Amino acid sequence: MQPPVIHRASWVVPVSDPVIADGAVVADNDRIIAVGRFHEQCEIFPDAPIKDHGRSALIPALVNAHIHLELSHIPLPALHKKISGFTGWIETLLAMRAELGDTGHAAEEAAKQAMRRQHRLGVIALGDIGNTDMGAKLAGEFPGLILHFHEHLGRTTKTRRAILERVAAAPQDKLFTAHAPYSTHAELIRELKRRASALGHPFPIHVAESPSENEMLRRGSGELYTFLRKRGFIDDSYKPPAAIDNQGSVQYLHGLGALDKQTICVHCVHVTPGEAAILAETGAAICLCPGSNRYLRVGKAPAGLFLQNGLQPALGTDSMASNPELSLWREMNILRQDHPEINAADIFRMATLGGATALGIDAHYGSLARGKSARFLSIPLEKEMTDETMLFNLLTADKNIQPLWVIG
Ligand SMILES: [Zn+2]
């Protein structure tokens, strides 16, 4: 055991508290024991050695709340085929997965490479979604935490029964989730959510990613409905749920009893003001994926509306199949471009504490605070700045960012 160390830098960004100029983070081995002004910490810990990071910002490690590691070997479909619309993308993705396979050496190597890159970019935790267990298998090789969710989908009775049998036989620490309201039968969503709630597991689900999802739920028509019908995924018995009026997926999931503090609604691009209020009331988390939304041209999530409702979204990269780069730094920059009205601190919070809270790991990660993990980051800065311009510079650094891991 080493004695506590005072890490000094020109800026400390606790996230849960205002930025501190000439700040310090005091680390006792793997835990933070204090955060504050450098001179004050020197008085409290007079014998502690000082590690001066100079003109840098000390920030919490990032949390990528939504990724699909198992799709890391799938090249962007648009590079290979001209895709049209959201269903065109799904169709091409399914064909490429069938051709390239879901598992095997190439898929695993690509996933490992993606994991290494996440770590290089300063990510401490991943919310990983997969239709295989690859993310769980590789989790031990990630120098942080991977929460792997085995995702299910299907609308027929036969599929539903088979899935629920497998789920019932699985160990209790295995995490399951449902894919999306359009692809997954209401009962299957309900049952998977019921299990997650009983075991205290988070429950991420893709929600309102494209406008055609709401159209299918509202009217039983549209691009997505036609696509699923053509593939035999739904039959004549499909009827749009009666209770959603002119709302969409959020209202629908609320009607199923699937929204609570442990549900993570991923994407949330097409959400009405009434539905934002539902998310706030139920305490459901939101995970925004602006890079994926931009690539698929499905629209921009109403991030400002969520903040006005007191929601603190998380941020995710989604997968290599819908995003040219899996970098939360790029996601923050895209969000800033899409929503110049949102302040830098709110965006930075999404990539850190927002993600940690959504995944239920905020006791350890997401901010620099007493009791939390001392595995944080030091970001060298080129020049002296004010706290607002410093955060703005972090958000826009994108490819120029060079996070250094600090192991306290
Ligand atoms: Zn996804």
Side-chain angles (χ1 to χ4, degrees):
M1 295 285 276
Q2 304 290 318
V5 176
I6 298 177
H7 293 271
R8 179 190 193 179
S10 45
W11 299 102
V12 169
V13 186
V15 176
S16 45
D17 286 300
V19 170
I20 306 163
D22 193 12
V25 179
V26 187
D28 185 358
N29 293 278
D30 62 347
R31 290 286 126 192
I32 294 171
I33 55 171
V35 178
R37 293 192 173 280
F38 171 68
H39 291 291
E40 287 169 7
Q41 297 309 317
C42 288
E43 283 170 23
I44 300 168
F45 301 96
D47 301 325
I50 295 163
K51 166 89 175 95
D52 196 336
H53 298 263
R55 197 160 62 202
S56 297
L58 300 182
I59 66 166
L62 309 184
V63 176
N64 187 349
H66 188 75
I67 190 169
H68 301 249
L69 287 171
E70 72 179 16
L71 298 181
S72 301
H73 66 308
I74 308 274
L76 283 175
L79 293 178
H80 294 260
K81 190 179 169 187
K82 191 158 172 47
I83 57 167
S84 71
F86 186 62
T87 52
W89 171 73
I90 298 175
E91 201 159 23
T92 310
L93 175 60
L94 292 176
M96 291 176 81
R97 285 187 82 171
E99 185 189 325
L100 297 170
D102 278 340
T103 52
H105 184 70
E108 275 191 21
E109 284 308 307
K112 285 181 193 173
Q113 206 180 335
M115 283 159 48
R116 285 194 289 272
R117 181 164 154 73
Q118 291 300 299
H119 184 251
R120 268 201 311 279
L121 290 169
V123 174
I124 190 79
L126 299 170
D128 176 51
I129 311 293
N131 306 122
T132 72
D133 285 330
M134 188 191 292
K137 185 179 161 192
L138 300 180
E141 297 184 36
F142 183 63
L145 177 68
I146 294 182
L147 287 184
H148 172 77
F149 297 87
H150 191 115
E151 173 191 79
H152 285 296
L153 71 164
R155 300 199 63 103
T156 66
T157 307
K158 195 176 154 201
T159 314
R160 197 165 79 234
R161 281 201 187 127
I163 290 170
L164 292 174
E165 268 173 33
R166 284 202 299 276
V167 168
Q172 293 200 341
D173 59 352
K174 192 167 156 91
L175 308 173
F176 288 104
T177 192
H179 173 247
Y182 65 85
S183 63
T184 315
H185 194 281
E187 275 311 309
L188 186 51
I189 295 176
R190 256 199 204 115
E191 285 299 321
L192 291 170
K193 174 61 189 171
R194 205 171 285 154
R195 177 188 182 273
S197 296
L199 296 171
H201 295 167
F203 188 75
I205 178 166
H206 298 85
V207 176
E209 185 174 359
S210 83
S212 54
E213 178 174 323
N214 282 347
E215 202 180 340
M216 177 176 160
L217 291 172
R218 284 174 190 162
R219 288 182 281 278
S221 60
E223 182 197 7
L224 203 46
Y225 171 78
T226 309
F227 170 76
L228 294 172
R229 187 82 180 79
K230 204 170 79 185
R231 287 185 72 100
F233 214 67
I234 47 177
D235 58 25
D236 285 340
S237 66
Y238 177 79
K239 287 196 176 49
I244 69 163
D245 301 324
N246 262 338
Q247 309 294 317
S249 290
V250 171
Q251 171 72 58
Y252 171 69
L253 289 173
H254 187 41
L256 298 184
L259 297 182
D260 61 27
K261 282 189 168 52
Q262 287 176 305
T263 307
I264 308 170
C265 296
V266 182
H267 292 295
C268 285
V269 179
H270 301 279
V271 171
T272 66
E275 290 180 309
I278 290 174
L279 291 167
E281 270 165 41
T282 56
I286 294 169
C287 177
L288 305 177
C289 302
S292 171
N293 300 155
R294 181 181 277 192
Y295 171 79
L296 292 176
R297 297 184 194 163
V298 290
K300 297 171 191 169
L305 176 67
F306 297 144
L307 292 170
Q308 282 159 25
N309 277 271
L311 293 152
Q312 292 290 342
L315 216 49
T317 56
D318 221 328
S319 78
M320 288 303 286
S322 68
N323 201 344
E325 234 187 291
L326 305 188
S327 163
L328 282 184
W329 298 101
R330 181 172 175 271
E331 297 300 318
M332 285 192 272
N333 199 20
I334 291 176
L335 202 62
R336 188 198 58 81
Q337 290 165 1
D338 287 351
H339 302 278
E341 76 284 4
I342 296 180
N343 73 49
D346 280 332
I347 294 179
F348 193 68
R349 189 185 181 94
M350 295 180 196
T352 50
L353 195 54
T357 307
L359 291 173
I361 53 173
D362 51 314
H364 303 287
Y365 304 115
S367 62
L368 299 178
R370 185 184 162 83
K372 293 210 181 185
S373 167
R375 300 184 60 195
F376 52 90
L377 305 172
S378 169
I379 312 287
L381 300 168
E382 282 178 9
K383 53 183 188 294
E384 288 301 328
M385 305 167 192
T386 63
D387 53 357
E388 186 63 21
T389 52
M390 182 272 297
L391 273 181
F392 185 82
N393 269 275
L394 287 185
L395 293 193
T396 53
D398 198 347
K399 285 190 172 58
N400 298 322
I401 204 82
Q402 292 181 317
L404 304 169
W405 282 96
V406 176
I407 309 292

PDB file of all heavy atoms in Angstrom, residues 258-278:
ATOM      1  N   ALA A 258     -42.763  -0.819 -18.400  1.00  0.00           N
ATOM      2  CA  ALA A 258     -41.338  -1.130 -18.615  1.00  0.00           C
ATOM      3  C   ALA A 258     -40.406   0.037 -18.284  1.00  0.00           C
ATOM      4  O   ALA A 258     -39.189  -0.074 -18.470  1.00  0.00           O
ATOM      5  CB  ALA A 258     -41.121  -1.562 -20.063  1.00  0.00           C
ATOM      6  N   LEU A 259     -40.978   1.151 -17.839  1.00  0.00           N
ATOM      7  CA  LEU A 259     -40.114   2.302 -17.548  1.00  0.00           C
ATOM      8  C   LEU A 259     -39.974   2.523 -16.045  1.00  0.00           C
ATOM      9  O   LEU A 259     -40.962   2.704 -15.337  1.00  0.00           O
ATOM     10  CB  LEU A 259     -40.684   3.574 -18.179  1.00  0.00           C
ATOM     11  CG  LEU A 259     -40.796   3.605 -19.704  1.00  0.00           C
ATOM     12  CD1 LEU A 259     -41.324   4.965 -20.159  1.00  0.00           C
ATOM     13  CD2 LEU A 259     -39.460   3.309 -20.373  1.00  0.00           C
ATOM     14  N   ASP A 260     -38.747   2.494 -15.594  1.00  0.00           N
ATOM     15  CA  ASP A 260     -38.445   2.908 -14.221  1.00  0.00           C
ATOM     16  C   ASP A 260     -36.986   3.341 -14.173  1.00  0.00           C
ATOM     17  O   ASP A 260     -36.339   3.446 -15.222  1.00  0.00           O
ATOM     18  CB  ASP A 260     -38.762   1.793 -13.199  1.00  0.00           C
ATOM     19  CG  ASP A 260     -37.955   0.531 -13.436  1.00  0.00           C
ATOM     20  OD1 ASP A 260     -36.845   0.622 -14.002  1.00  0.00           O
ATOM     21  OD2 ASP A 260     -38.417  -0.563 -13.047  1.00  0.00           O
ATOM     22  N   LYS A 261     -36.478   3.558 -12.987  1.00  0.00           N
ATOM     23  CA  LYS A 261     -35.126   4.122 -12.836  1.00  0.00           C
ATOM     24  C   LYS A 261     -34.041   3.257 -13.469  1.00  0.00           C
ATOM     25  O   LYS A 261     -32.946   3.733 -13.756  1.00  0.00           O
ATOM     26  CB  LYS A 261     -34.804   4.309 -11.346  1.00  0.00           C
ATOM     27  CG  LYS A 261     -35.463   5.535 -10.755  1.00  0.00           C
ATOM     28  CD  LYS A 261     -34.938   5.794  -9.348  1.00  0.00           C
ATOM     29  CE  LYS A 261     -35.345   7.154  -8.839  1.00  0.00           C
ATOM     30  NZ  LYS A 261     -36.772   7.442  -8.936  1.00  0.00           N
ATOM     31  N   GLN A 262     -34.322   1.974 -13.657  1.00  0.00           N
ATOM     32  CA  GLN A 262     -33.276   1.098 -14.197  1.00  0.00           C
ATOM     33  C   GLN A 262     -33.435   0.823 -15.692  1.00  0.00           C
ATOM     34  O   GLN A 262     -32.647   0.081 -16.267  1.00  0.00           O
ATOM     35  CB  GLN A 262     -33.236  -0.198 -13.398  1.00  0.00           C
ATOM     36  CG  GLN A 262     -32.612   0.067 -12.028  1.00  0.00           C
ATOM     37  CD  GLN A 262     -32.630  -1.141 -11.146  1.00  0.00           C
ATOM     38  OE1 GLN A 262     -33.678  -1.729 -10.903  1.00  0.00           O
ATOM     39  NE2 GLN A 262     -31.475  -1.538 -10.685  1.00  0.00           N
ATOM     40  N   THR A 263     -34.432   1.442 -16.311  1.00  0.00           N
ATOM     41  CA  THR A 263     -34.567   1.308 -17.758  1.00  0.00           C
ATOM     42  C   THR A 263     -33.710   2.377 -18.432  1.00  0.00           C
ATOM     43  O   THR A 263     -33.691   3.526 -17.983  1.00  0.00           O
ATOM     44  CB  THR A 263     -36.045   1.505 -18.180  1.00  0.00           C
ATOM     45  OG1 THR A 263     -36.851   0.629 -17.405  1.00  0.00           O
ATOM     46  CG2 THR A 263     -36.242   1.208 -19.662  1.00  0.00           C
ATOM     47  N   ILE A 264     -32.987   1.975 -19.462  1.00  0.00           N
ATOM     48  CA  ILE A 264     -32.184   2.949 -20.224  1.00  0.00           C
ATOM     49  C   ILE A 264     -32.761   3.012 -21.632  1.00  0.00           C
ATOM     50  O   ILE A 264     -32.670   2.047 -22.396  1.00  0.00           O
ATOM     51  CB  ILE A 264     -30.696   2.530 -20.300  1.00  0.00           C
ATOM     52  CG1 ILE A 264     -30.140   2.231 -18.896  1.00  0.00           C
ATOM     53  CG2 ILE A 264     -29.872   3.625 -20.987  1.00  0.00           C
ATOM     54  CD1 ILE A 264     -28.746   1.588 -18.912  1.00  0.00           C
ATOM     55  N   CYS A 265     -33.385   4.127 -21.960  1.00  0.00           N
ATOM     56  CA  CYS A 265     -33.992   4.296 -23.278  1.00  0.00           C
ATOM     57  C   CYS A 265     -32.919   4.840 -24.225  1.00  0.00           C
ATOM     58  O   CYS A 265     -32.510   6.001 -24.117  1.00  0.00           O
ATOM     59  CB  CYS A 265     -35.178   5.250 -23.187  1.00  0.00           C
ATOM     60  SG  CYS A 265     -36.494   4.588 -22.141  1.00  0.00           S
ATOM     61  N   VAL A 266     -32.466   3.984 -25.130  1.00  0.00           N
ATOM     62  CA  VAL A 266     -31.343   4.328 -26.005  1.00  0.00           C
ATOM     63  C   VAL A 266     -31.861   4.969 -27.298  1.00  0.00           C
ATOM     64  O   VAL A 266     -32.799   4.458 -27.897  1.00  0.00           O
ATOM     65  CB  VAL A 266     -30.514   3.065 -26.329  1.00  0.00           C
ATOM     66  CG1 VAL A 266     -29.319   3.426 -27.207  1.00  0.00           C
ATOM     67  CG2 VAL A 266     -30.057   2.377 -25.054  1.00  0.00           C
ATOM     68  N   HIS A 267     -31.250   6.049 -27.683  1.00  0.00           N
ATOM     69  CA  HIS A 267     -31.544   6.871 -28.870  1.00  0.00           C
ATOM     70  C   HIS A 267     -32.552   7.979 -28.543  1.00  0.00           C
ATOM     71  O   HIS A 267     -32.201   9.133 -28.574  1.00  0.00           O
ATOM     72  CB  HIS A 267     -32.016   6.044 -30.082  1.00  0.00           C
ATOM     73  CG  HIS A 267     -30.929   5.181 -30.649  1.00  0.00           C
ATOM     74  ND1 HIS A 267     -29.797   5.708 -31.226  1.00  0.00           N
ATOM     75  CD2 HIS A 267     -30.783   3.833 -30.698  1.00  0.00           C
ATOM     76  CE1 HIS A 267     -29.003   4.719 -31.614  1.00  0.00           C
ATOM     77  NE2 HIS A 267     -29.573   3.570 -31.297  1.00  0.00           N
ATOM     78  N   CYS A 268     -33.825   7.614 -28.315  1.00  0.00           N
ATOM     79  CA  CYS A 268     -34.847   8.632 -27.976  1.00  0.00           C
ATOM     80  C   CYS A 268     -34.803   9.818 -28.936  1.00  0.00           C
ATOM     81  O   CYS A 268     -34.785  10.979 -28.502  1.00  0.00           O
ATOM     82  CB  CYS A 268     -34.670   9.122 -26.537  1.00  0.00           C
ATOM     83  SG  CYS A 268     -35.235   7.938 -25.317  1.00  0.00           S
ATOM     84  N   VAL A 269     -34.781   9.540 -30.221  1.00  0.00           N
ATOM     85  CA  VAL A 269     -34.736  10.626 -31.213  1.00  0.00           C
ATOM     86  C   VAL A 269     -36.127  11.233 -31.408  1.00  0.00           C
ATOM     87  O   VAL A 269     -36.278  12.449 -31.467  1.00  0.00           O
ATOM     88  CB  VAL A 269     -34.182  10.098 -32.562  1.00  0.00           C
ATOM     89  CG1 VAL A 269     -34.160  11.208 -33.605  1.00  0.00           C
ATOM     90  CG2 VAL A 269     -32.782   9.516 -32.367  1.00  0.00           C
ATOM     91  N   HIS A 270     -37.148  10.357 -31.484  1.00  0.00           N
ATOM     92  CA  HIS A 270     -38.498  10.845 -31.783  1.00  0.00           C
ATOM     93  C   HIS A 270     -39.383  10.716 -30.548  1.00  0.00           C
ATOM     94  O   HIS A 270     -40.139   9.768 -30.382  1.00  0.00           O
ATOM     95  CB  HIS A 270     -39.060  10.091 -32.996  1.00  0.00           C
ATOM     96  CG  HIS A 270     -38.186  10.284 -34.186  1.00  0.00           C
ATOM     97  ND1 HIS A 270     -38.248  11.409 -34.981  1.00  0.00           N
ATOM     98  CD2 HIS A 270     -37.146   9.547 -34.653  1.00  0.00           C
ATOM     99  CE1 HIS A 270     -37.301  11.342 -35.909  1.00  0.00           C
ATOM    100  NE2 HIS A 270     -36.625  10.223 -35.738  1.00  0.00           N
ATOM    101  N   VAL A 271     -39.216  11.686 -29.680  1.00  0.00           N
ATOM    102  CA  VAL A 271     -39.904  11.688 -28.382  1.00  0.00           C
ATOM    103  C   VAL A 271     -40.674  13.002 -28.265  1.00  0.00           C
ATOM    104  O   VAL A 271     -40.128  14.071 -28.527  1.00  0.00           O
ATOM    105  CB  VAL A 271     -38.865  11.550 -27.240  1.00  0.00           C
ATOM    106  CG1 VAL A 271     -39.494  11.767 -25.893  1.00  0.00           C
ATOM    107  CG2 VAL A 271     -38.186  10.177 -27.298  1.00  0.00           C
ATOM    108  N   THR A 272     -41.940  12.929 -27.897  1.00  0.00           N
ATOM    109  CA  THR A 272     -42.761  14.140 -27.786  1.00  0.00           C
ATOM    110  C   THR A 272     -42.509  14.805 -26.418  1.00  0.00           C
ATOM    111  O   THR A 272     -41.999  14.156 -25.495  1.00  0.00           O
ATOM    112  CB  THR A 272     -44.263  13.793 -27.878  1.00  0.00           C
ATOM    113  OG1 THR A 272     -44.606  13.004 -26.723  1.00  0.00           O
ATOM    114  CG2 THR A 272     -44.593  12.999 -29.143  1.00  0.00           C
ATOM    115  N   PRO A 273     -42.906  16.079 -26.268  1.00  0.00           N
ATOM    116  CA  PRO A 273     -42.760  16.719 -24.953  1.00  0.00           C
ATOM    117  C   PRO A 273     -43.487  15.940 -23.859  1.00  0.00           C
ATOM    118  O   PRO A 273     -42.997  15.824 -22.732  1.00  0.00           O
ATOM    119  CB  PRO A 273     -43.385  18.109 -25.168  1.00  0.00           C
ATOM    120  CG  PRO A 273     -43.170  18.381 -26.634  1.00  0.00           C
ATOM    121  CD  PRO A 273     -43.328  17.048 -27.314  1.00  0.00           C
ATOM    122  N   GLY A 274     -44.659  15.382 -24.188  1.00  0.00           N
ATOM    123  CA  GLY A 274     -45.397  14.583 -23.199  1.00  0.00           C
ATOM    124  C   GLY A 274     -44.595  13.351 -22.786  1.00  0.00           C
ATOM    125  O   GLY A 274     -44.611  12.952 -21.619  1.00  0.00           O
ATOM    126  N   GLU A 275     -43.893  12.768 -23.744  1.00  0.00           N
ATOM    127  CA  GLU A 275     -43.102  11.574 -23.428  1.00  0.00           C
ATOM    128  C   GLU A 275     -41.841  11.931 -22.628  1.00  0.00           C
ATOM    129  O   GLU A 275     -41.405  11.143 -21.780  1.00  0.00           O
ATOM    130  CB  GLU A 275     -42.728  10.842 -24.716  1.00  0.00           C
ATOM    131  CG  GLU A 275     -43.935  10.174 -25.374  1.00  0.00           C
ATOM    132  CD  GLU A 275     -43.561   9.447 -26.647  1.00  0.00           C
ATOM    133  OE1 GLU A 275     -42.893  10.051 -27.519  1.00  0.00           O
ATOM    134  OE2 GLU A 275     -43.904   8.268 -26.767  1.00  0.00           O
ATOM    135  N   ALA A 276     -41.280  13.107 -22.897  1.00  0.00           N
ATOM    136  CA  ALA A 276     -40.130  13.542 -22.085  1.00  0.00           C
ATOM    137  C   ALA A 276     -40.563  13.671 -20.629  1.00  0.00           C
ATOM    138  O   ALA A 276     -39.822  13.305 -19.703  1.00  0.00           O
ATOM    139  CB  ALA A 276     -39.583  14.873 -22.605  1.00  0.00           C
ATOM    140  N   ALA A 277     -41.808  14.162 -20.431  1.00  0.00           N
ATOM    141  CA  ALA A 277     -42.332  14.280 -19.060  1.00  0.00           C
ATOM    142  C   ALA A 277     -42.504  12.891 -18.436  1.00  0.00           C
ATOM    143  O   ALA A 277     -42.245  12.703 -17.237  1.00  0.00           O
ATOM    144  CB  ALA A 277     -43.657  15.041 -19.069  1.00  0.00           C
ATOM    145  N   ILE A 278     -42.911  11.908 -19.234  1.00  0.00           N
ATOM    146  CA  ILE A 278     -43.062  10.524 -18.716  1.00  0.00           C
ATOM    147  C   ILE A 278     -41.696   9.994 -18.284  1.00  0.00           C
ATOM    148  O   ILE A 278     -41.562   9.378 -17.220  1.00  0.00           O
ATOM    149  CB  ILE A 278     -43.666   9.593 -19.805  1.00  0.00           C
ATOM    150  CG1 ILE A 278     -45.126   9.954 -20.057  1.00  0.00           C
ATOM    151  CG2 ILE A 278     -43.535   8.124 -19.392  1.00  0.00           C
ATOM    152  CD1 ILE A 278     -45.750   9.197 -21.216  1.00  0.00           C
TER     153      ILE A 278
END
